[in-house]
Amino acid sequence: MTRSRIAARSFGAGLLLVVWLVLPATAAKLENTFYAASTTLFFKVSEAALRKLLPQGREPATIPQMQGGNLTVTFSDILASEAANGQPGETARAVWLSAPVQKSGTGERAGAVLGGLASHPSFVPGPYGNYALAQARLDRRRQIEASGASVSEEWQFAGDNGAKVELRLAFADGPARHLKPPESKILSATKPNLRRTNKTEVVAQQLRVGDTSAIKEVTFAASGPLLSSLFDGSEQLVAIISAPWLVTQVLVP
């Protein structure tokens, strides 16, 4: 039986994005490489409320492959990181909120990071200038039996800014796809001059919301001042992507 509770007011952060959902971009030089496991929730939210959080000259766009979702919340367990020179970096748990956008009057698309929470100070304020420090807890389990495999996850974030984000998810472990999407433009919704390009390789499983044979439980709750207008009870969870293996190269102009 699937139990779904979508509570109001969410706060997100951006290091990685579901990059196969935006158009190709060009990039100059490598800044960092991140190795992670992530879970992304796709929502349909009020377009009018979303517009108020976007930088001038950008409009909300939708993700046709994800039932027209226009907002994502991504939970990421960053297992390792490297600087451009190959030196190891810090690890962290992070959650962020982002939206596909397009430039007004053109078809140019990008992903806009609205804000987020990260568990290590080196990720704050982050490459998009809008992450807050948080205490994070993660419990992820994969159980394999003769009858099949299942996955359960519990994520909890409590930010120094008062934001809280939680996710409980349990699902049947099914076939995953190995994807090498094109490079994608990522920008900051709060500091438009902060821009990056992501190049990602990922193994991912898509979960269809409402499929009780696959999703056993999904409970999402968030609170904080940033997104109360988005999570007002009218939002709709439309899809989930589980990515147990993901590598992202972050490139700067």
Side-chain angles (χ1 to χ4, degrees):
M1 178 178 182
T2 300
R3 178 168 57 92
S4 178
R5 177 174 59 88
I6 309 301
R9 298 182 297 277
S10 182
F11 187 90
L15 270 176
L16 315 169
L17 204 59
V18 184
V19 298
W20 61 90
L21 302 178
V22 294
L23 295 184
T26 58
K29 62 180 181 179
L30 179 66
E31 182 178 59
N32 298 102
T33 302
F34 296 97
Y35 305 86
S38 70
T39 298
T40 299
L41 308 182
F42 294 77
F43 290 94
K44 284 182 181 179
V45 300
S46 165
E47 183 175 307
L50 185 58
R51 284 181 181 274
K52 297 178 181 180
L53 300 176
L54 300 182
Q56 186 175 5
R58 299 283 176 171
E59 300 176 351
T62 61
I63 309 169
Q65 303 95 321
M66 296 298 160
Q67 289 73 52
N70 59 1
L71 185 74
T72 64
V73 180
T74 298
F75 296 79
S76 184
D77 182 12
I78 301 169
L79 304 170
S81 65
E82 294 175 350
N85 62 5
Q87 291 297 310
E90 300 293 343
T91 63
R93 265 47 58 201
V95 59
W96 67 89
L97 193 142
S98 58
V101 298
Q102 60 185 15
K103 194 172 183 179
S104 301
T106 74
E108 179 185 343
R109 291 168 64 94
V113 175
L114 305 181
L117 301 172
S119 65
H120 194 281
S122 65
F123 289 79
V124 176
Y128 303 102
N130 53 15
Y131 309 170
L133 190 63
Q135 297 292 321
R137 179 181 179 275
L138 168 60
D139 183 4
R140 184 192 297 113
R141 302 181 185 185
R142 185 168 184 257
Q143 185 173 341
I144 302 176
E145 300 176 342
S147 58
S150 61
V151 178
S152 62
E153 303 178 0
E154 183 175 353
W155 304 74
Q156 296 179 349
F157 290 86
D160 289 355
N161 60 355
K164 293 183 179 180
V165 183
E166 297 183 0
L167 171 66
R168 290 176 59 92
L169 177 64
F171 60 94
D173 193 12
R177 295 181 61 194
H178 179 209
L179 303 172
K180 293 183 179 181
E183 296 177 0
S184 61
K185 295 180 181 178
I186 310 296
L187 56 88
S188 170
T190 52
K191 297 187 176 183
N193 291 331
L194 294 179
R195 301 186 181 194
R196 298 291 188 272
T197 297
N198 281 1
K199 182 178 180 180
T200 296
E201 183 174 355
V202 61
V203 172
Q205 175 186 354
Q206 181 176 344
L207 303 172
R208 184 169 59 86
V209 173
D211 183 357
T212 57
S213 64
I215 301 176
K216 306 305 179 183
E217 178 185 4
V218 54
T219 303
F220 173 79
S223 61
L226 180 64
L227 295 174
S228 58
S229 60
L230 295 177
F231 290 90
D232 61 358
S234 65
E235 70 282 350
Q236 180 185 359
L237 178 64
V238 295
I240 301 172
I241 291 285
S242 171
W245 182 87
L246 182 148
V247 178
T248 296
Q249 291 181 314
V250 181
L251 306 132
V252 294

